Amino acid sequence: MTDLPKAYNPSIVEKKWSSYWLSTDYFQAKIDWGKKRFSIVIPPPNVTGSLHVGHALNNTLQDIVVRRKRMQGYVTLWLPGTDHAGIATQNVVESQLAQESLTRDSLGREKFIERVWQWKETYGNLIINQLKTLGCSCDWSRERFTMDEGCSRAVREAFVRLYNDGLIYRGNYIINWCPRCLTALSDIEVEHEEIEGKLWYVKYPLEDGSSFIVVATTRPETMLGDTAVAVNPNDERYRSYVGKIAILPLVGRKIPIIEDEYVDPNFGSGALKITPAHDLNDFEISQRHNLPALNIFTPDAKVNENGGNYCGLSREKAREAVLKDLKAQGLIEKIENYLLSLGKCYRCDTPIEPYYSLQWFVKTKPLALEAIKVVRDGRIKFTPKSWEKTYFDWMENIKDWCISRQIWWGHQIPVWYCQDCNKENVEVEKPVSCKFCGSLELVQESDVLDTWFSSALWPFSTLGWPEKTDDLKYFYPTDLLVTSHDIIFFWVARMVMMGLYLLKEIPFKEVYIHGLIRDIYGRKMSKSRGNVIDPLEIINTFGTDALRFTLAALSVPGREIYLSEERIEGYRNFCNKIWNASRFVLMNLKDFSPQFKPDPSTFTLSDRWILSRYAKTIKRVNQFLDVYRFSEAAKTLYNFFWDDFCDWYIELSKLSLYNGEEIERRKSQFLLTYILKNFLKLIHPFMPFISEEIWQKLPGCEGDIVVALYPEEEIIPMDEKSEESMEILKDLVTAVRSIRSQLNISPLRKIEILFKAPDKDKEALLRNYADYISFLTGASKIGVGIDVVKPSQSAISIEHGVEIFVPLADLVDIVEERERIGKEIFELKKELEKVRKKFSNKAFLEKAPTNIIQKEKNKLEKLKEKIEKLEQIHRLLE
């Protein structure tokens, strides 16, 4: 029989099986029209990326689903790939060029794009290789890239169709602008940070000289672009001002005072300066009132010629100068501290500028109508369902999508401008001449598309669309999308809209939304906090299976995940438990024959019990995984193996393995291997590496576990009576062990146990299985009866109506022990009172950091628990 090494070495095992699986075609999806199929596309990570713990969570959950479906006999496609990540990748390459004293402008567009492709070929597979390290069982033969030839064709086709249907247009609008990257940004590319700002109250003189109207602003420098002052029509304070003209300070421009429902009378002075070119809400007000939009900034956020005397100043210097001049003219009424949300570029951390510019947009309202309907009628199902409300809230209030970006790396917009007739030629392939006038003078739009545009086509562009491929017919729509809630708007919703518009079909049937990962105190992970958990370091330290199982065990639908290395270490210990238990089984299979089948009538109580527990485990794990309750499935597997199988069944099996007749030994060998073999199949999707390694060592296990049949509900009866009887015995054993532990009685000391049964049934149970109790508690003598009398100086416990007596006369000095424990309880209660006083201190609760408060809460609970245990012991010694 093949033994396992004494210690589990994840690194050796993982490299071995990862390499082996990739050398086979197990992960490759082959179309079979006669078989059920399951398809899922990976949320494509950025090609610039390195595996972070969020990737590890997302892909672990996908792999659990995919591996199980494969084992259930589905033709399973998990399609991998990466995203070209426009701004991120361009920034990386520009930084590389800077080290060579080069810029993208000095290279020119064509040469720069060549450099980016070179970078992609050299470094772009890093995260793909890391996903393979994680054990992801994708069909790597189908790996895609959002700018490969097929995806690029799909992008152009989608653009042209949308344009021809009047759903893409070019127009001026307020967009998020990064003055450093010199491009528009989508809302998701803007990260918000709360900062302490100021609210300046500025006097705007009225043209008639009668008085001032005071506006409140957090950005006084943008007043240079004001084209109105607005008040709420229900604000009585300003009724007499409406219709009058104010004189814009420092500039002298005449601007109207208007009324609009948007204005909040409770913000600042209740009068709002309107700067249409530099604030989205102001822009929308300007559209309702036909106000001009005056852009006062250059693309790199310096004041332009519209800023008069402030021309050439940066935003920061312009603010200083404007405030200085307003103060000199006595136009600042007051200044207040104000907490505001500052938007920054997600790549370079530069404060973004709301910017009025000419961009390309998708009209999303017509697309959103059907996308809302398919979720409402259940064609697309969200898990947890609560995320549907988030989806509806955004879709019902959707705004047009700015899809143009002023960078070079990405899908260049397929629009060619005729230099003679000035018309737009929108084509899938580059036109030779203008279709309107025949001119050969065509210039392509220099902007590229938002990265999310190609991502929105991902579920079908990767399957060959716009061609009607067999892959598309067989695998589309996909079955499931696994993603986090932070991109429901920007990716999930757009895939639904595009799938319905371009294919008249949903892109996926279910969306599973998992939480975001935070540290153990619930804080966002960041390098500055020093609380980032690197999954690659974790894999090196604890092994891949430990990380995967931890992530699954903590993944509760609708909740964020609080992760710590301690938790991962705990599940590394579970890996070791599986290894050691398997090693025990293998070491006890001498003379075992896999062909041996025991007679079920010979099964003992513990045999019937473990088979019933196993049957329940299969049922529960499948029920939980069917509805993506990964945490409960993982915990069911953990509890069954550690508690039922290892702590109880393996221990009791030693009675027959070491001391039983040959037929009893063979029966135990059969059941141990049977349970272990099927447990390995159940846990394989969670822990692929260790399960495959042990599977290959077990006799009777044919082929590779990666394609073994996943256990479904078997024809094993659930034996409630046996479970009930075993639970009684387990609780009695646990009570005796607790007495031993609490009184520091060495496991080597033999003890006597007396059981006073409340009825004949329990008396019979205890007599029939006294050998179980004796073996598991280290008892040399056991007495059972209905009329048992408590001996003097005995520890007492009671379980299921059974009174338990353990005579202590020869085991401990009762008087001395009671005195020692009483003193310890006294000291612990003093410490407990100190901690409680902290929680009655209001200043502590308000000022102490969250982690310190949590630490004190944990201390409080541990003290209470320790006192309770010691008081139990104290009572035992009465």
Side-chain angles (χ1 to χ4, degrees), residues 503-520:
L503 285 87
K504 311 303 179 192
E505 180 63 275
I506 56 173
F508 30 71
K509 298 165 190 172
E510 293 187 86
V511 181
Y512 175 77
I513 304 291
H514 60 71
L516 299 176
I517 296 185
R518 303 193 179 280
D519 72 9
I520 195 66

Side-chain angles (χ1 to χ4, degrees), residues 39 52 79 89 132 152 167 242-243 248 352 383 479 534 619 634 689 725 761 790 796 807:
S39 61
H52 61 61
L79 200 151
T89 307
K132 291 176 182 177
S152 295
L167 293 170
V242 176
L248 183 63
I352 62 104
T383 301
D479 292 276
D534 183 343
K619 183 177 181 180
F689 297 104
S725 296
D761 288 342
K790 171 188 175 294
I796 309 167

Side-chain angles (χ1 to χ4, degrees), residues 234-296:
N234 299 313
D235 193 336
E236 295 293 336
R237 294 173 297 173
Y238 296 113
R239 188 167 296 281
S240 63
Y241 287 79
V242 176
K244 291 188 176 183
I245 300 296
I247 304 298
L248 183 63
L250 310 182
V251 177
R253 186 162 58 247
K254 296 178 181 181
I255 58 177
I257 299 173
I258 61 174
E259 55 186 11
D260 193 279
E261 292 281 356
Y262 170 79
V263 181
D264 180 1
N266 298 314
F267 172 76
S269 64
L272 186 69
K273 61 188 277 308
I274 305 301
T275 320
H278 298 289
D279 183 278
L280 177 58
N281 297 311
D282 291 3
F283 176 76
E284 291 178 346
I285 291 173
S286 76
Q287 295 294 287
R288 291 194 287 272
H289 297 272
N290 296 313
L291 298 171
L294 191 65
N295 192 337
I296 63 162

Side-chain angles (χ1 to χ4, degrees), residues 88-117:
T89 307
Q90 179 155 318
N91 282 346
V92 168
V93 176
E94 285 195 75
S95 297
Q96 195 179 67
L97 290 174
Q99 295 173 9
E100 304 170 32
S101 300
L102 295 171
T103 66
R104 62 168 165 156
D105 293 313
S106 65
L107 278 183
R109 183 166 192 148
E110 189 175 334
K111 292 288 185 185
F112 178 76
I113 296 300
E114 285 178 14
R115 281 294 296 262
V116 182
W117 276 108

Side-chain angles (χ1 to χ4, degrees), residues 795-833:
I796 309 167
S797 188
I798 185 166
E799 291 290 341
H800 300 280
V802 178
E803 293 180 61
I804 307 164
F805 309 126
V806 177
L808 299 174
D810 298 327
L811 298 172
V812 295
D813 185 324
I814 293 175
V815 175
E816 184 180 303
E817 192 69 10
R818 271 180 59 81
E819 186 179 342
R820 180 188 68 79
I821 292 170
K823 286 179 181 177
E824 190 174 350
I825 291 171
F826 178 75
E827 292 300 324
L828 287 170
K829 284 185 173 178
K830 280 168 55 178
E831 183 66 23
L832 181 68
E833 190 56 33

Side-chain angles (χ1 to χ4, degrees), residues 25-32 38-39 70 74-79 138-142 471 474-475:
D25 62 356
Y26 288 151
F27 302 160
Q28 291 177 23
K30 298 181 178 69
I31 293 173
D32 185 336
F38 179 86
S39 61
R70 188 180 293 115
Y74 287 78
V75 174
T76 304
L77 171 63
W78 184 12
L79 200 151
C138 300
D139 184 345
W140 298 108
S141 69
R142 295 172 183 263
D471 276 358
Y474 187 70
F475 291 113

Side-chain angles (χ1 to χ4, degrees), residues 536-597:
L536 298 172
E537 289 181 8
I538 291 296
I539 286 170
N540 289 335
T541 305
F542 300 113
T544 304
D545 285 334
L547 173 63
R548 287 171 59 112
F549 198 82
T550 304
L551 294 171
L554 297 178
S555 189
V556 178
R559 292 190 198 167
E560 305 292 50
I561 292 171
Y562 296 171
L563 188 63
S564 67
E565 286 198 16
E566 289 74 20
R567 286 182 164 176
I568 301 166
E569 185 177 10
Y571 287 115
R572 188 274 310 273
N573 295 340
F574 183 43
C575 291
N576 291 339
K577 188 78 170 178
I578 295 171
W579 186 264
N580 291 333
S582 302
R583 190 165 177 268
F584 169 83
V585 172
L586 286 165
M587 288 170 64
N588 284 280
L589 293 184
K590 186 180 179 182
D591 73 7
F592 171 66
S593 168
Q595 285 72 43
F596 174 78
K597 297 291 185 291

